[in-house]
Structures are given as C-alpha cells and as structure tokens.
C-alpha cells in the first residue's frame, strides 16, 4: 500500500496515523529525572524524544549516551549537536553505574556520539563504563551501540574485552544512500566492524531506518550484507525528520511493509528482527540478549 505524502505548513511531511503517538503517560519520571540530573547524564531516550521511552523504562531498559552530547560528525538524519566536544568526563563510568543501580535497570544500553577528536575514539571510557556497570550491578545485561572507530579493530577489541552481552553498530541506511545520510561514515567500514565483532563470538546487532529513498531490493541487499558479517539481530524503523535542517522523509513505509521486511528477514536467517514504524535501535533490546 502506498501512503500519499502531504506537506505541513513548516515543510515537514504530515505523519500518517500509525506514527502518531501520545508521548506522555502516568509513569513516574520524577525519580528518574533526579537520578539523571544529579549525575548530569544523558539518555538517548530523552534527547532523541523516543516514542518508546515509557515502555522501555517500565521494562527496566534505558539507553545512556556517554562521552558527552556533542558529535564530531555531521550525519544528515541525526539531531545530536555537532561541533567541538567537551573533554571526556573521567568520572562518567561511575556515574552511569550509579544511575543503573538507582534506576534498577535490568538491561542497560550504552551509546555515544562519535569522538574522532580523541586518540582512542573514546574506547577506554567505553571499556571503563561497561566494567563499572558490571561491578556495581552484576545482574544487569549490557548492550552497547558503538561508533565505527574508523574501522580500527584494536579499539573495538578494547571494548570487546570489557565483555558486553550484545554489541550493536548501525548501518543506518543502504549502501547507495550512505554518503548522503552518514557523510563521514563508510558502508564497508561498518560491515568490517560488525564482522570483527561476530568473529570474536559476541552477538552482533545492527539497525537501519527506512523512508530515506531506498527501495525494497536495497533493504534486502542490506540484510544479506549484514548476515554475511555474522550479524544476528536487526532493527528496522521509520526515519522521522527531527528538524528542518535534516533530510526530508521520502516515504512513510506502511506497517504492512514492515511486517513483510520481518518475514523476509527471518526467512533469510536473522535470529531477531524488530521491524515496525516506531522501532529504534534499543527497542525490546532486553529480548535480544
Ligand atoms: S555519528 Fe552518531 S551521533 Fe554523530 S551525527 Fe552521526 S548519528 Fe549522530
């Protein structure tokens, strides 16, 4: 089914019904708010205005952003602030671990901006944060969504040595659109990182957005490329334009098409596929451990 696109006054494409969500509900955010503010911590749940926040927080999953909130890259789909990041906070690993304990997080997802400004790309802070969470909350499972470290596998190894349960690295889009959507990133470098993770026996996961102009055949080719790396888990969600400075939505993929992607992806061999309009990288992440 094809959804006819209509433009709003501000130049955004009007969202179809299946993307309209009620963001607020009765869940007690206050306590969590204090914990995060106290630790000057960022969650992508909040900075990304994720529609799944309450469902995830209720199920004891939250995604923390480490290494600050200013990125050295300029991906055209992303609303994170770009520019010169602040120095890394050596105390951050302990603060994250404290928040995980205070928020009773069962499944902790860590992500970060890309720190091409740091000699090790931030790999040491990544490793220290994983170790701190494991130390303070040994029953919490840990999933990390890492940048590409410019394909430097010795840095990826540093993070692997901290023994997270799942390592995710997002391709974000299909090969043809990568230069437009992710600018500094390279499709093959991302595949190399995922292959390296799988070769070390760690569960590898990736995610893409659709609605940026890709074809179904390109989505299936991306699935094949990911499976060739040993990646077992994929998330597929609708790209939503965060601001007028970001890429415009080219199409709203229907729920029926997302179901089709899931069916075909499972037939191709993925162990887990989350494929729905509002799916984000860490949606139902606790199920993938
Ligand atoms: S590297 Fe990540 S945080 Fe940075 S602009 Fe791209 S998507 Fe956003």
């Amino acid at each position: 089914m094809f959804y006819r696109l209509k433009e709003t006054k501000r130049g955004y494409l009007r969202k179809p019904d299946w993307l309209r969500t009620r963001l607020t509900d009765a869940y007690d955010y206050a306590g969590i708010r204090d914990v995060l503010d106290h630790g000057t911590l960022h969650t992508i749940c909040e900075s990304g205005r994720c529609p799944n926040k309450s469902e995830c927080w209720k199920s004891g999953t939250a995604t923390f952003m480490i290494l600050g909130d200013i990125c050295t890259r300029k991906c055209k789909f992303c609303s994170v602030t770009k520019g010169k990041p602040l120095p890394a906070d050596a105390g951050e690993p302990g603060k994250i671990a404290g928040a995980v304990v205070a928020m009773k997080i069962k499944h902790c997802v860590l992500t970060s901006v890309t720190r091409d400004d740091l000699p090790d790309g931030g790999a040491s802070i990544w490793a220290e944060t994983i170790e701190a969470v494991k130390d303070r909350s040994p029953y919490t499972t840990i999933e990390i969504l890492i940048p590409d470290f410019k394909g430097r596998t010795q840095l990826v190894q540093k993070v692997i040595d901290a023994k997270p349960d799942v390592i995710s690295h997002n391709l974000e889009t299909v090969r043809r659109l990568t230069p437009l959507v992710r600018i500094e990133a390279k499709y093959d470098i991302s595949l190399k990182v995922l292959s390296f993770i799988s070769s070390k026996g760690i569960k590898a996961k990736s995610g893409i957005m659709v609605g940026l102009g890709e074809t179904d055949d390109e989505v299936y080719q991306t699935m094949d490329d990911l499976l060739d790396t040993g990646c077992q888990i994929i998330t597929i969600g609708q790209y939503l334009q965060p601001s007028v400075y970001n890429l415009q939505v080219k199409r709203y993929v229907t729920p029926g098409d997302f179901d089709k992607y899931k069916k075909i992806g499972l037939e191709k061999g993925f162990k887990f596929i989350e494929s729905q309009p509002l799916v984000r990288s860490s949606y139902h992440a606790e199920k993938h451990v």
Side-chain angles (χ1 to χ4, degrees):
M1 182 177 81
F2 188 76
Y3 175 77
R4 183 160 302 292
L5 299 173
K6 301 182 207 76
E7 227 173 73
T8 66
K9 291 200 197 63
R10 292 178 57 218
Y12 290 98
L13 289 169
R14 193 174 297 285
K15 284 185 191 162
D17 296 346
W18 63 78
L19 282 172
R20 304 231 180 114
T21 61
R22 208 169 48 77
L23 268 186
T24 56
D25 74 5
Y27 189 59
D28 165 27
Y29 289 115
I32 293 178
R33 209 29 307 110
D34 294 348
V35 170
L36 296 172
D37 288 354
H38 179 69
T40 60
L41 299 173
H42 311 285
T43 67
I44 202 78
C45 321
E46 299 211 292
S47 54
R49 285 176 57 75
C50 181
N52 307 313
K53 180 172 81 177
S54 57
E55 183 187 345
C56 292
W57 286 17
K58 263 189 226 163
S59 68
T61 296
T63 301
F64 297 93
M65 200 152 83
I66 63 173
L67 291 162
D69 58 358
I70 300 173
C71 187
T72 52
R73 298 206 180 161
K74 303 176 193 60
C75 303
K76 285 280 188 201
F77 69 93
C78 178
S79 60
V80 165
T81 308
K82 283 91 180 165
K84 190 170 179 334
L86 300 173
D89 171 4
E92 188 174 50
K95 291 176 188 170
I96 297 277
V100 166
V101 172
M103 293 167 69
K104 300 186 182 57
I105 297 292
K106 298 191 200 84
H107 184 65
C108 169
V109 183
L110 301 172
T111 188
S112 84
V113 293
T114 296
R115 295 296 302 257
D116 291 330
D117 60 311
L118 298 174
D120 73 349
S124 50
I125 292 279
W126 269 104
E128 286 164 32
T129 306
I130 297 163
E131 284 152 6
V133 172
K134 278 179 170 289
D135 186 46
R136 293 279 307 277
S137 187
Y139 299 105
T140 297
T141 51
I142 301 174
E143 172 176 333
I144 59 173
L145 173 53
I146 60 170
D148 62 17
F149 293 108
K150 291 188 175 177
R152 292 174 291 170
T153 51
Q154 72 278 18
L155 298 177
V156 181
Q157 185 64 54
K158 202 177 174 92
V159 175
I160 288 173
D161 291 343
K163 297 197 172 28
D165 300 281
V166 177
I167 302 185
S168 191
H169 174 65
N170 285 345
L171 275 184
E172 307 291 6
T173 186
V174 300
R175 179 185 288 282
R176 175 177 58 84
L177 297 177
T178 296
L180 167 73
V181 173
R182 299 174 67 205
I183 310 201
E184 295 99 337
K186 300 271 180 292
Y187 189 84
D188 289 318
I189 285 185
S190 288
L191 292 180
K192 173 188 170 193
V193 168
L194 287 160
S195 293
F196 184 77
I197 294 164
S198 304
S199 72
K200 301 294 175 180
I202 296 241
K203 277 201 182 94
K205 172 178 177 178
S206 191
I208 62 170
M209 303 164 287
V210 289
L212 286 156
E214 71 295 318
T215 64
D216 283 357
D217 285 347
E218 287 178 315
V219 171
Y220 302 141
Q221 181 56 54
T222 303
M223 287 182 179
D224 293 339
D225 294 343
L226 285 172
L227 285 165
D228 288 348
T229 70
C231 181
Q232 303 170 341
I233 309 164
I234 183 173
T235 61
I236 307 175
Q238 168 73 48
Y239 167 63
L240 295 173
Q241 184 181 0
S243 81
V244 288
Y245 307 106
N246 296 98
L247 291 170
Q248 259 212 338
V249 173
K250 288 282 186 290
R251 65 172 175 144
Y252 286 115
V253 178
T254 66
D257 285 336
F258 279 103
D259 293 344
K260 184 180 66 184
Y261 293 152
K262 179 163 186 158
K263 182 172 169 300
I264 292 171
L266 290 171
E267 284 163 5
K268 282 179 178 291
F270 283 104
K271 288 229 172 44
F272 288 102
I273 298 192
E274 301 290 347
S275 176
Q276 289 171 47
L278 290 174
V279 158
R280 297 294 173 266
S281 305
S282 41
Y283 187 59
H284 288 176
E286 71 282 357
K287 293 186 181 152
H288 307 152
V289 179

